[in-house]
């Protein structure tokens, strides 16, 4: 630890998410500072590090992790670069916050899982930030309190205004529904055992051959049924809703409405244009929680197992998109370390 | 027509629905009066007719229909008695409002369809009263106006507080989901082409072997996907919701909230205990509409074809409950008279 | 009573409200029929009566009331014509439903009050239709049940899209706030004892010299404080809200939202353009209730005392608009007949 | 500035607010650290400072401000101690965040105003944290954008579950309504020119002689009318709402609802029990904003003039409580420095 006891963090990757995390560590979250900025584009790393007090620029993640003033690592590089950075950090026994996905596929996720299992203790938190959203946290508390009995179903909506060029059907699962996959596993504390995908006649607003929206069904190890509307070109805004149906009641999140307006013949309010407005506080809370836990020597939050399980379900989901039928999910036994 | 031009109606069946329709024709709806009260329990028919000015009691529907002061027939007897009463009324070319179901199965519904087709003009309106609910009517108008583009999905919730003794799994389809079957066909103006039923681990509040809740999926001739949560022992009240997802927007009904309260640490309001509060106005509007149309010599509203198609989809739904797989719906070509 | 036992009603006045009541008695409400149509414009009366089965046209209210087939009177003529018609009907001991206002000023209202008092029993119901609105009725039930303790305050909003030409500041009290005056008296079961009117800098949308909006304060005999925002050119729709603040909770009506839409970056729904959408059901229920009670020989609903008290408070309100200060309301003792 | 460029803050007062600010500076907000903890109870100051890395305990505010590692001052001591601490900090030209009230009365507030005016530049930010609440910020943006025209009225509700022992009628103005006083001045960018207080018959839940609730009316320099329901023993929770009525629309905040539940016959959600849940994020944002601005050498946020004006209006409000009539507010001309 440096003087003042703040955590020196190496931020790997300075794209949209990485740059945002640099800002967050510098301005928003207490108890940490950016010690290293890593990007394969050295000029970009230099430019960002130069604006910060005491941050060094690197092009090589390993070099940054070797630096004396680096206490922890935040991985925000593109998915394919995650595995190498994770293995390096585990090799050095450094605490990690890794943006989702853990890695782009189940095979590589399994290698990371094995590396951490060999290490013998958790070091990595995966960036499923919805677990830090105030509404999801309240929902989780409510379900865990058990007042509504067992949770029988989840009804989820995941809507984006529109997709960037090159957005594929697989990305609907891997980039979007992956959040509902983690939320389902976390809220229910159950594994997903099967996936089915239904495709309505696509919206004429969907670009090219993208079959959008889709309707995804999960079955879980405890017998719950979960449905997810994924509609990535809904046109009207960013909207994430989840209704949990218990034996004695239901609970709905995603309709928090801060400002209600009457004007021009209508009542209502604005819908957030994208995920940053909706989950900005969740990102802040996630990083703050990670910094706090790390300073206390703890590893909490979504684990490598959670990242691996999500990857396995995503692969089943993509197969279900093609197959048009129910696809079973096969998971190995969960290592003791993650129970 | 009698003096004053009011419609003389024979009400067949004086159970809960029939007695309520007698009250409605007598007190609530203008332009009609109860001319005949029919029940196999003659004492009961007498008791009810005796409270009305100018109504005669019968035990035989045909005798009532033959009476000179009977201009139209409202069938509210148990489902198995519907076919005979419908055929008798069609034989006499009398206007009919028939409570749902048209008949209890597709084969008998087809016989009624054939009888009306032979008659050569519509005489029967089927009692799918949701089409007369103010919220459903607004939703239908909105979808038909086309501002949101094609409708891609419907998300439906149908929750009852609890079931009476003897309520079976088949009744979840035939008595409850049948409303969503008609609403889907009406809102989308499409036929249902396949049904799938998923069963979560049942709620411990479900009586006996009833697998409650269930999650029903419809596919339609226009490629829409419709999901229905049917939960008949949800414990907290009666709730019917429908969200239509179009290409450019969504519309939700079922959350009309008349009175919002702050008290004892909570904001919110009451949930209707059963369908009567929720759909009372729809019943009034349905009967008023039928009386008005009949006085004008018109037959409007849900047709025998709608009753028949619902019966066919219900049978597929019940098979899907057992099969655990997708069941295709086979409908004959729609007669010209019903297009 | 005529054959069929339906009530023969003379409708006096065939302007917007009168014509609407003719339609309501003919098509919507059971148990009554239009026996006489009265208008000083004889052609207009003939035209309307001619469309109905068994209705006679008159130009003289007294002649209509003298007809053998007239059992009851619905007064919907302009306010200045009410006194004569009311006195005539009381003279003949006929049941009356009189559109608000009872009469245009307190002095004439007092003369009607004295006539009915001399008659010795109630015959007149005044058309304060909010008492028949489903939301107001639920609010009244809630307050009367006493779960929230005494009602300490009411916060009222009364907003109209825009005013017709010639709308004056006095009409803001006499035509608009008069509804809140009656609602206050009815909900609290207390008299209004003082009125204060505050005038913000007017909206630039207010026509001519109309000081719109205004903020009206009532004090009541039980010590409650009631505030009313009256804004008759709010531009965005018709909106009537009332929040009751009790000792242990609050209850709000006026936000019943039947259809919620997501579209074009916004969530929400439509605001009714005028009072007919908002209170159509209340008018239906009011007339139905009056017909039912009258057929049973009863007189219920808002009384002549309620109409008189409203007139007295309106006069105080108009004085308060000019004075800019608190104006006390002076009511005589309430006759025993109205307690 | 210390190494790492973080701001060394002396926190004066370690009661509930002070202790919370210590936690906030230590854990939540980046860019600052607690350098000094000041309390007249030296043991308490030691205990808190001892838990922090690099914080020193003091009993004398002046001694803390003189310390080399103190860059800025956060005053959270009881109101009567504010004036001395503020004058000391201004004497040393130190940046200050002073919890509201600036000082307990207008005369002492004026002395602070004169001291800062003599200094010639702003150094003090007053802790009116509602200006940092996300909903209030959105409301302010909306009003400033001008889409709804001029703001004509504000309708405010300020409800607390219950009051601690010793809570007086004056505190309803000075501790509670003071927030609406500042919000009014800030949202409208106008001064308050008159105050009237109406007192309904008190709730039986109000302790002792406390006349609770009260209804407070403000008139402003731009002709707006503002009403505030202050109800500090409402029993059901903490609720702060504000509806702004513009020429072409209205906007309401305070009903943000994160989690909606159906259970036991009711829909709805929880009401926050006190201001900490409701405004926790606002406190975080306020302190973060102050730290950021201070590190950049800026002074922003509510000024000493705002604190002084609030004190003057509070004094008028307390006089209006007693007088039962309208009390005019007399403010001197605003110094150029605060325009």
């Amino acid at each position: 630890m440096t003087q003042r006891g703040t955590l020196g963090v190496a931020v790997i990757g300075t794209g949209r998410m990485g740059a945002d995390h640099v800002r967050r560590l510098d301005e928003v979250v207490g108890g940490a500072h950016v010690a290293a900025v890593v990007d394969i584009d050295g000029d970009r790393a230099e430019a960002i590090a130069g604006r910060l007090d005491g941050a060094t620029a690197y092009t090589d993640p390993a070099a940054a992790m070797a630096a004396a003033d680096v206490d922890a690592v935040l991985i925000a590089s593109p998915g394919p670069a995650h595995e190498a950075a994770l293995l390096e950090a585990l090799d050095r026994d450094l605490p990690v916050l890794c943006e989702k996905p853990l890695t782009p596929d189940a095979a590589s996720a399994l290698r990371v899982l094995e590396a951490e299992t060999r290490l013998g203790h958790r070091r990595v938190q995966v960036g499923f930030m919805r677990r830090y959203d105030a509404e999801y946290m309240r929902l989780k508390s409510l379900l865990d309190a058990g007042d509504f009995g067992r949770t029988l179903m989840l009804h989820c909506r995941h809507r984006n205004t529109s997709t960037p060029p090159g957005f594929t059907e697989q990305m609907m699962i891997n980039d979007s529904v992956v959040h509902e996959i983690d939320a389902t596993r976390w809220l229910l504390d159950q594994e997903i055992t099967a996936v089915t995908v239904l495709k309505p006649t696509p919206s004429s607003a969907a670009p090219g051959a993208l079959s959008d929206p889709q309707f995804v069904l999960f079955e879980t190890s405890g017998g719950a049924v979960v449905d997810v509307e994924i509609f990535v070109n809904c046109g009207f805004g960013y909207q994430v809703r989840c209704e949990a149906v218990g034996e004695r009641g239901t609970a709905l999140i995603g309709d928090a409405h801060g400002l209600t307006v009457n004007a021009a013949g209508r009542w209502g309010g604005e819908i957030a244009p994208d995920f940053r407005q909706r989950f900005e506080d969740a990102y802040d809370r996630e990083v703050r929680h990670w910094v706090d836990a790390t300073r206390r020597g703890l590893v909490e939050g979504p684990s490598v197992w959670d990242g691996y399980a999500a990857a396995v379900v995503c692969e089943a989901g993509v197969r279900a998109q093609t197959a048009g039928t129910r696809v079973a999910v096969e998971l190995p036994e969960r290592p003791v370390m993650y129970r």
Side-chain angles (χ1 to χ4, degrees), chain A:
Chain A
M1 300 274 171
T2 61
Q3 190 185 348
R4 299 250 54 80
T6 61
L7 194 72
V9 179
V11 177
I12 300 176
T14 61
R16 192 169 73 174
M17 287 303 300
D20 200 44
H21 281 310
V22 166
R23 176 195 62 77
R24 187 168 284 113
L25 288 165
D26 185 49
E27 294 179 11
V28 179
V29 173
H33 65 277
V34 178
V37 175
V38 188
D39 204 291
I40 48 172
D41 177 346
D43 290 346
R44 183 165 169 80
E46 288 284 357
I48 291 177
R51 286 199 293 268
L52 302 170
D53 195 12
T56 309
Y58 297 85
T59 54
D60 175 17
M65 294 188 216
D69 59 347
V70 167
D71 305 309
V73 182
L74 194 163
I75 300 176
S77 49
H82 286 194
E83 182 182 0
L86 284 160
L87 295 177
E88 180 72 30
L90 286 171
D91 214 44
R92 295 178 181 277
D93 206 10
L94 282 172
V96 179
L97 175 59
C98 179
E99 266 302 320
K100 65 107 197 165
L102 180 67
T103 66
D105 57 77
S108 52
L110 185 58
R111 289 192 292 271
V112 176
L113 183 78
E114 289 165 350
E116 195 180 46
T117 313
R118 274 197 304 274
L119 185 62
H121 54 253
R122 286 192 55 193
R123 269 311 193 186
V124 179
Q125 174 175 331
V126 181
F128 289 124
M129 86 293 178
R130 285 198 191 169
R131 300 195 189 191
Y132 296 94
D133 173 64
E135 294 183 39
Y136 270 98
M137 291 168 75
R138 288 179 63 192
L139 178 58
K140 174 68 170 162
S141 297
L142 185 82
L143 299 186
D144 287 355
D147 293 344
F148 290 0
R150 265 184 307 111
T151 302
L152 308 170
M153 289 178 282
L154 299 176
H155 304 305
C156 308
R157 310 286 164 256
H158 187 146
R159 293 161 181 163
N160 296 74
T161 311
S162 60
T163 46
F167 197 90
T168 65
E169 207 167 315
Q170 292 75 12
M171 293 165 84
M172 290 172 75
I173 300 294
N174 291 329
D175 287 11
S176 300
V177 177
V178 66
H179 284 292
E180 273 76 22
I181 291 171
D182 184 66
T184 294
R185 297 180 62 259
W186 174 62
L187 288 173
L188 302 182
D189 205 11
Q190 297 174 22
E191 295 295 349
I192 291 171
T193 56
V195 190
T196 309
V197 179
L198 284 84
K199 301 182 187 176
T201 303
S203 168
S204 57
L210 192 68
S211 189
D212 180 34
Q214 299 190 10
F215 194 69
V216 182
L217 291 162
F218 299 129
E219 299 163 50
T220 74
S221 52
V225 169
V226 177
D227 59 281
V228 183
E229 176 201 314
I230 175 68
F231 191 0
V232 291
N233 288 281
C234 77
F236 57 76
Y238 180 71
Q239 207 172 47
V240 168
R241 299 167 75 189
C242 180
E243 183 180 28
V245 180
E247 294 177 300
R248 287 184 292 280
T250 80
L252 171 71
I253 58 169
D255 278 339
H257 291 146
L259 181 81
T260 307
V261 162
N262 291 312
R266 301 193 71 78
W267 59 270
E270 291 180 7
I271 302 173
D274 70 27
F275 71 95
R276 279 168 293 193
Q277 288 86 335
R278 173 67 175 83
F279 286 114
E280 183 180 8
D281 287 347
Y283 281 111
D284 290 351
R285 198 177 283 111
E286 175 192 56
V287 175
R288 179 177 302 135
H289 182 97
W290 175 68
V291 168
D292 283 352
T294 302
R295 290 172 83 191
R296 288 173 171 79
L298 304 173
V299 184
E300 298 174 344
S303 71
V304 169
W305 175 259
D306 295 316
Y308 168 67
V312 172
V313 177
C314 280
E315 292 192 352
V318 169
R319 283 202 306 279
Q321 283 182 317
T322 311
T325 57
R326 179 181 183 279
V327 172
V329 175
E330 302 290 346
L331 269 181
E333 200 184 357
R334 188 194 289 226
V336 176
M337 207 172 94
Y338 299 106
R339 281 172 203 168

